[in-house]
Amino acid sequence: MFNAKLPEPSLDRVDGRLKVTGTATYSAEYPLENLAHAVLVTSTIAKGRITGLDFKLAESVPGVLAVISHLNSPGVPGYPPVKQPAERAPIGTALRVFYDDFVYFSGQPVAVVVAQTLEQARHAASLAQVNYQTEKHQTDFEANVSKAAVALSVQRNKTSPFQDYDRGNPDAIKTADVKLESTYVFPTQHHQPLEPHAIIAVWETDDKLTIYDKNQGVKSAQGNLASAFKLPRENVQVNSPFIGGAFGSGIRVWPHTIAAVLAAKKVKRPVKLVLGRELMQMSVGSRPFTVQKIAIGASSDGKLTAITHEGIGQTSTYEEHLERTILATRAMYACPNVSTRYRLLNLDVNTPTWMRGPGDATGMFALESALDEMAHELKIDPLEFRIRNHADTDPERNLPWSAKTLKECYRTGAERFGWDKRTSEPRSMQANGLLVGYGMASSLYGFHRHPSKAKAVMRTDGSVVMQSATMDIGPGTGTAMTQIAAKMLGVSPNKIRFDLGDSSLPDAPGQNGSATITSVGSAVHVACEALKKKLLTLAAAMPNSPLANSRFEDITAKTGRIFPTANPSASISYADILKYHQLPQVEVTEESKPGPERDQYSMYSFGCHFVEVQVNPLTDEVRVSRVVTCADVGKIINYKTARSQSIGGIVGGIGMALMEESVMDHRFGRYINTDFAGYHIPVHADIPQIEVYYVDQPDVYVNPIGSKGLGEIAIVGVAAAVANAVFHATGKRVRQLPITVDKLV
Ligand code: MOS
C-alpha cells in the first residue's frame, strides 16, 4: 500500500522535453512583429496624492512612443467616472490603474513608458518625474494591531466562515487541567516564482484583445479583462500554455496587466511588459503578515478539552483579503470546545493574496506548534498526543469524512522516519557534535472541486486530442490528464495530445486550491467515457460487428481497440470505426461537477511530516537533515508528478520555516529585500533527502477518479514540524518565523 519507489503508472512529463530544451514558449517569448516594450513607473511613497508629473525628459528619449498616466490614459471603460473632487477608493475596490492621483502603497504603478526597445523604455522610466503630497502611512503591523477589526465583507455576510465561531463552551479553556497560551507571528512572504509575471498585449481590432500572459486561469483573466474593457468575453483571447511557477500570485489580474493593455491601446502596437524582481515583491500580492494567539487546554491524560484561536491578517486599505488561517483548527482534532476569531488589519500595503496552502499553512504553523508545546507540557509523545485526539468524524460539521487515513499516514511516516528512536527531552540527541531534533506535524487541506468541461476528439489515425481551458503552472497537468484519458480510452499516451492554457477551449477553472485533477480530471474522465460510448455505438453498427450486442460495461479498450471483454480476439480499432463510417473525427464535450455528496461528507486531504534538524551548538545554525512525509490524498494518478509536488511543497515549507521574510522599512513603507540576495529561499544545498509516501486509496465520494488535492497540503504543517524539531534539538521555542539564528542565540 505504501510506496517508497515509483510504481506504475508514472508517465514522464508530456512537455518535459519542450521545457528542458527551451522550446516551450513562455508569455514574454512570443516574437510578435512590431513589438513595443513597456516599463512601469511606480510610486516611491506608500500613501498620498500625485501632485505633478513631468515626463518631458522621459519623452525626449529616442524611441519613446508614449508615457501614460492617469492624466492621459485611454481609460478603462469598466471603471466608474472619477468623482469630483476625487475620493479614496472604498474597501472592496481592486486597484484602478491610471485612474486618479491617489497612492495606496509603495510600488503602485503610476505611469508606464512605452518604447521601441526595453533599454529605451527603462531609461525613459528612470527620467520620469513624479511629485507627491505625502501623507503619513501605516505599514507596521505590530504598531497598529489594536485597529484590527472584523472584515466588512464578514460583517455583511452572516454565513461567512469567518464569523466568530464557538463550539461547546467558550469558557472551557479557563478550567482546563493544563492550559497554555502563545502568540505566533508569521511574516509577509512573496511568491517569487522562477518566471516573473509577464504579458504581451495585442489589440487585434478596436474591440478584440489578445494577451499572452502569465496567470493561473485563462478563463478568469478573460472574464476580468472583458468586464474591465467592456468587451464580449469571446473578444478577449488569453494564451498561457506554459507557466514557470506561480504559487497563487497568478490567480488574479494585477495592475500591470491592465497597464500593458492600456499601453497597447495607446500606441496601437503589441506591447510587452515584464516585472522585475522588485515589482514581483511589491505589486503581485503576498502571503499576509499574520499574528495568531492560541490558547489550548488539555486534560492531564492527554485529551484536548478547549482551543481558542484568534488570527489577525494584514490587508490593504482598499481590499480585504481573507484566508483560512483559523479554519483548520475547527476540523483538525476531536476537541469539544473550540472558539475562533478572525480579524483584518488595513495597512498602506499592496493587497495580499493566496500563496500555496493559503491560511492553512499559516494557521497550522500555530496550531501544530501549540500541540507540540502541550505534548511537551504533558510529557506525552507529540505523535501519540495527536493520535489520542484524532477526529474520527468532522467535529465542525458533524459529518463523516469522505475518507481519512491519517492514522495510516502517522504510522507510515513514523516507521519510515524512525520516530521511535526519539528521546523525549530537548537537547537529548546529538550526532557529530551537533544537536539533533526530531519534530513532526499534521497537515490538512480542504477539498475544492469546480464544474469543468473537457472535449475529447478521436481522429482517423486513432490519435486523440483532448482540450480544456485548464492550466499547468508546474504540477504537470497535461501529463496527468493524458494518463486519465489513456486509461479510459485504451490508447497509448503518446497518441494523446492535451491542450490547455487557451481561453477559447472548453470552460475550466484556473489552477488553484489544488483542484485541477479533481475538477478537470473528472471532466476528462467523463468526456473519454462518453467518447468511448459513442465509438462503441458506431462499432456496433458495422457489418458482422463482434460488438453488436455489447453493453458498455462488457467491453474493454486497449492499444487503440475495443473488444468484448470475454472475447479479446474480436476487436475493432478506433481507426477502423472512423474509416468505415467515413468520419473525419468523432468528438464529445462533457461537463463534470460536484453533486450532493458535498453535503453528506466532509472532504479533506490529510497528511503528516516528520523532520530531523541538526543545530550547531556554537553558531545556532539550523539545517534540516531529513524529511519524511506521508499524504492521504486519495488515488495517485502519477507518482512522479505527485512526488515532485510533495517535494516542492516541503522545500517551500523549509523556506517558510528558516528563511523567507519580506522585510519592510517602515520609514518608507517599502520592502527592502526585493531580490534573491535579500529574500532568501532554499537552494539545493539547503535541502536534504525527502522521502514521500502516499496511502494511495481512492476516495470514492469525492469524484469519479478518487483523487484529492495534493499541491498545497504538501506545504501545510512543514514549518511547524521544523519549529518542533528545533525545539527538540535546542529547547528553544521559536514562535516567530523565520527561525533565523538571531532568534536562537
Ligand atoms: Mo494556490 S495559493 O491556490 O495557487
Side-chain angles (χ1 to χ4, degrees), residues 714-732:
I715 198 172
V716 175
V718 178
V722 174
N724 297 342
V726 168
F727 173 75
H728 184 233
T730 65
K732 283 177 191 153

PDB file of all heavy atoms in Angstrom, residues 714-732:
ATOM      1  N   ALA A 714       0.978  19.704   0.663  1.00  0.00           N
ATOM      2  CA  ALA A 714       2.409  19.405   0.753  1.00  0.00           C
ATOM      3  C   ALA A 714       3.163  20.414   1.611  1.00  0.00           C
ATOM      4  O   ALA A 714       4.139  20.070   2.267  1.00  0.00           O
ATOM      5  CB  ALA A 714       3.006  19.359  -0.654  1.00  0.00           C
ATOM      6  N   ILE A 715       2.703  21.677   1.612  1.00  0.00           N
ATOM      7  CA  ILE A 715       3.441  22.700   2.377  1.00  0.00           C
ATOM      8  C   ILE A 715       2.857  22.899   3.779  1.00  0.00           C
ATOM      9  O   ILE A 715       3.549  23.359   4.686  1.00  0.00           O
ATOM     10  CB  ILE A 715       3.442  24.044   1.609  1.00  0.00           C
ATOM     11  CG1 ILE A 715       4.551  24.981   2.136  1.00  0.00           C
ATOM     12  CG2 ILE A 715       2.089  24.742   1.674  1.00  0.00           C
ATOM     13  CD1 ILE A 715       4.733  26.248   1.298  1.00  0.00           C
ATOM     14  N   VAL A 716       1.591  22.518   3.962  1.00  0.00           N
ATOM     15  CA  VAL A 716       0.906  22.800   5.227  1.00  0.00           C
ATOM     16  C   VAL A 716       1.523  21.951   6.347  1.00  0.00           C
ATOM     17  O   VAL A 716       1.617  20.734   6.221  1.00  0.00           O
ATOM     18  CB  VAL A 716      -0.608  22.507   5.117  1.00  0.00           C
ATOM     19  CG1 VAL A 716      -1.293  22.682   6.477  1.00  0.00           C
ATOM     20  CG2 VAL A 716      -1.254  23.404   4.069  1.00  0.00           C
ATOM     21  N   GLY A 717       1.924  22.582   7.418  1.00  0.00           N
ATOM     22  CA  GLY A 717       2.470  21.848   8.567  1.00  0.00           C
ATOM     23  C   GLY A 717       3.980  21.714   8.568  1.00  0.00           C
ATOM     24  O   GLY A 717       4.575  21.407   9.606  1.00  0.00           O
ATOM     25  N   VAL A 718       4.614  21.935   7.432  1.00  0.00           N
ATOM     26  CA  VAL A 718       6.068  21.725   7.367  1.00  0.00           C
ATOM     27  C   VAL A 718       6.796  22.671   8.326  1.00  0.00           C
ATOM     28  O   VAL A 718       7.698  22.249   9.064  1.00  0.00           O
ATOM     29  CB  VAL A 718       6.598  21.914   5.925  1.00  0.00           C
ATOM     30  CG1 VAL A 718       8.119  21.750   5.891  1.00  0.00           C
ATOM     31  CG2 VAL A 718       5.933  20.926   4.976  1.00  0.00           C
ATOM     32  N   ALA A 719       6.388  23.944   8.318  1.00  0.00           N
ATOM     33  CA  ALA A 719       7.095  24.913   9.168  1.00  0.00           C
ATOM     34  C   ALA A 719       6.972  24.535  10.645  1.00  0.00           C
ATOM     35  O   ALA A 719       7.927  24.677  11.411  1.00  0.00           O
ATOM     36  CB  ALA A 719       6.548  26.325   8.932  1.00  0.00           C
ATOM     37  N   ALA A 720       5.791  24.031  11.035  1.00  0.00           N
ATOM     38  CA  ALA A 720       5.626  23.608  12.433  1.00  0.00           C
ATOM     39  C   ALA A 720       6.513  22.406  12.730  1.00  0.00           C
ATOM     40  O   ALA A 720       7.141  22.338  13.797  1.00  0.00           O
ATOM     41  CB  ALA A 720       4.159  23.274  12.705  1.00  0.00           C
ATOM     42  N   ALA A 721       6.579  21.464  11.792  1.00  0.00           N
ATOM     43  CA  ALA A 721       7.421  20.284  12.024  1.00  0.00           C
ATOM     44  C   ALA A 721       8.876  20.709  12.215  1.00  0.00           C
ATOM     45  O   ALA A 721       9.584  20.175  13.081  1.00  0.00           O
ATOM     46  CB  ALA A 721       7.286  19.297  10.859  1.00  0.00           C
ATOM     47  N   VAL A 722       9.324  21.700  11.435  1.00  0.00           N
ATOM     48  CA  VAL A 722      10.698  22.196  11.584  1.00  0.00           C
ATOM     49  C   VAL A 722      10.849  22.898  12.940  1.00  0.00           C
ATOM     50  O   VAL A 722      11.798  22.640  13.684  1.00  0.00           O
ATOM     51  CB  VAL A 722      11.073  23.155  10.430  1.00  0.00           C
ATOM     52  CG1 VAL A 722      12.453  23.772  10.672  1.00  0.00           C
ATOM     53  CG2 VAL A 722      11.043  22.426   9.081  1.00  0.00           C
ATOM     54  N   ALA A 723       9.888  23.772  13.272  1.00  0.00           N
ATOM     55  CA  ALA A 723       9.974  24.504  14.548  1.00  0.00           C
ATOM     56  C   ALA A 723       9.970  23.530  15.725  1.00  0.00           C
ATOM     57  O   ALA A 723      10.691  23.724  16.712  1.00  0.00           O
ATOM     58  CB  ALA A 723       8.822  25.494  14.664  1.00  0.00           C
ATOM     59  N   ASN A 724       9.149  22.485  15.622  1.00  0.00           N
ATOM     60  CA  ASN A 724       9.086  21.490  16.692  1.00  0.00           C
ATOM     61  C   ASN A 724      10.405  20.719  16.806  1.00  0.00           C
ATOM     62  O   ASN A 724      10.854  20.395  17.909  1.00  0.00           O
ATOM     63  CB  ASN A 724       7.912  20.532  16.455  1.00  0.00           C
ATOM     64  CG  ASN A 724       6.568  21.260  16.503  1.00  0.00           C
ATOM     65  OD1 ASN A 724       6.480  22.373  17.021  1.00  0.00           O
ATOM     66  ND2 ASN A 724       5.534  20.637  15.945  1.00  0.00           N
ATOM     67  N   ALA A 725      11.015  20.450  15.655  1.00  0.00           N
ATOM     68  CA  ALA A 725      12.315  19.774  15.668  1.00  0.00           C
ATOM     69  C   ALA A 725      13.385  20.690  16.258  1.00  0.00           C
ATOM     70  O   ALA A 725      14.262  20.239  17.006  1.00  0.00           O
ATOM     71  CB  ALA A 725      12.696  19.344  14.247  1.00  0.00           C
ATOM     72  N   VAL A 726      13.306  21.980  15.945  1.00  0.00           N
ATOM     73  CA  VAL A 726      14.269  22.942  16.507  1.00  0.00           C
ATOM     74  C   VAL A 726      14.113  22.998  18.036  1.00  0.00           C
ATOM     75  O   VAL A 726      15.101  23.014  18.773  1.00  0.00           O
ATOM     76  CB  VAL A 726      14.088  24.342  15.878  1.00  0.00           C
ATOM     77  CG1 VAL A 726      14.879  25.393  16.653  1.00  0.00           C
ATOM     78  CG2 VAL A 726      14.514  24.323  14.408  1.00  0.00           C
ATOM     79  N   PHE A 727      12.875  22.971  18.514  1.00  0.00           N
ATOM     80  CA  PHE A 727      12.661  22.952  19.962  1.00  0.00           C
ATOM     81  C   PHE A 727      13.271  21.689  20.572  1.00  0.00           C
ATOM     82  O   PHE A 727      13.947  21.739  21.610  1.00  0.00           O
ATOM     83  CB  PHE A 727      11.168  23.014  20.295  1.00  0.00           C
ATOM     84  CG  PHE A 727      10.892  22.824  21.759  1.00  0.00           C
ATOM     85  CD1 PHE A 727      11.154  23.843  22.666  1.00  0.00           C
ATOM     86  CD2 PHE A 727      10.397  21.610  22.241  1.00  0.00           C
ATOM     87  CE1 PHE A 727      10.929  23.661  24.030  1.00  0.00           C
ATOM     88  CE2 PHE A 727      10.182  21.416  23.608  1.00  0.00           C
ATOM     89  CZ  PHE A 727      10.446  22.449  24.501  1.00  0.00           C
ATOM     90  N   HIS A 728      13.041  20.568  19.908  1.00  0.00           N
ATOM     91  CA  HIS A 728      13.558  19.308  20.441  1.00  0.00           C
ATOM     92  C   HIS A 728      15.087  19.314  20.467  1.00  0.00           C
ATOM     93  O   HIS A 728      15.719  18.826  21.405  1.00  0.00           O
ATOM     94  CB  HIS A 728      13.026  18.141  19.599  1.00  0.00           C
ATOM     95  CG  HIS A 728      13.426  16.800  20.119  1.00  0.00           C
ATOM     96  ND1 HIS A 728      14.039  15.857  19.333  1.00  0.00           N
ATOM     97  CD2 HIS A 728      13.312  16.257  21.354  1.00  0.00           C
ATOM     98  CE1 HIS A 728      14.283  14.775  20.061  1.00  0.00           C
ATOM     99  NE2 HIS A 728      13.834  14.994  21.296  1.00  0.00           N
ATOM    100  N   ALA A 729      15.675  19.934  19.444  1.00  0.00           N
ATOM    101  CA  ALA A 729      17.141  19.973  19.385  1.00  0.00           C
ATOM    102  C   ALA A 729      17.721  20.930  20.422  1.00  0.00           C
ATOM    103  O   ALA A 729      18.739  20.625  21.042  1.00  0.00           O
ATOM    104  CB  ALA A 729      17.595  20.394  17.987  1.00  0.00           C
ATOM    105  N   THR A 730      17.060  22.085  20.598  1.00  0.00           N
ATOM    106  CA  THR A 730      17.699  23.170  21.357  1.00  0.00           C
ATOM    107  C   THR A 730      17.017  23.516  22.669  1.00  0.00           C
ATOM    108  O   THR A 730      17.596  24.215  23.500  1.00  0.00           O
ATOM    109  CB  THR A 730      17.690  24.468  20.514  1.00  0.00           C
ATOM    110  OG1 THR A 730      16.310  24.864  20.321  1.00  0.00           O
ATOM    111  CG2 THR A 730      18.352  24.261  19.166  1.00  0.00           C
ATOM    112  N   GLY A 731      15.755  23.107  22.830  1.00  0.00           N
ATOM    113  CA  GLY A 731      14.991  23.541  23.995  1.00  0.00           C
ATOM    114  C   GLY A 731      14.444  24.952  23.829  1.00  0.00           C
ATOM    115  O   GLY A 731      13.850  25.513  24.748  1.00  0.00           O
ATOM    116  N   LYS A 732      14.652  25.550  22.635  1.00  0.00           N
ATOM    117  CA  LYS A 732      14.129  26.899  22.408  1.00  0.00           C
ATOM    118  C   LYS A 732      12.923  26.860  21.481  1.00  0.00           C
ATOM    119  O   LYS A 732      12.985  26.288  20.389  1.00  0.00           O
ATOM    120  CB  LYS A 732      15.205  27.797  21.791  1.00  0.00           C
ATOM    121  CG  LYS A 732      16.199  28.248  22.829  1.00  0.00           C
ATOM    122  CD  LYS A 732      17.304  29.085  22.218  1.00  0.00           C
ATOM    123  CE  LYS A 732      18.412  29.264  23.256  1.00  0.00           C
ATOM    124  NZ  LYS A 732      19.716  29.475  22.653  1.00  0.00           N
TER     125      LYS A 732
END
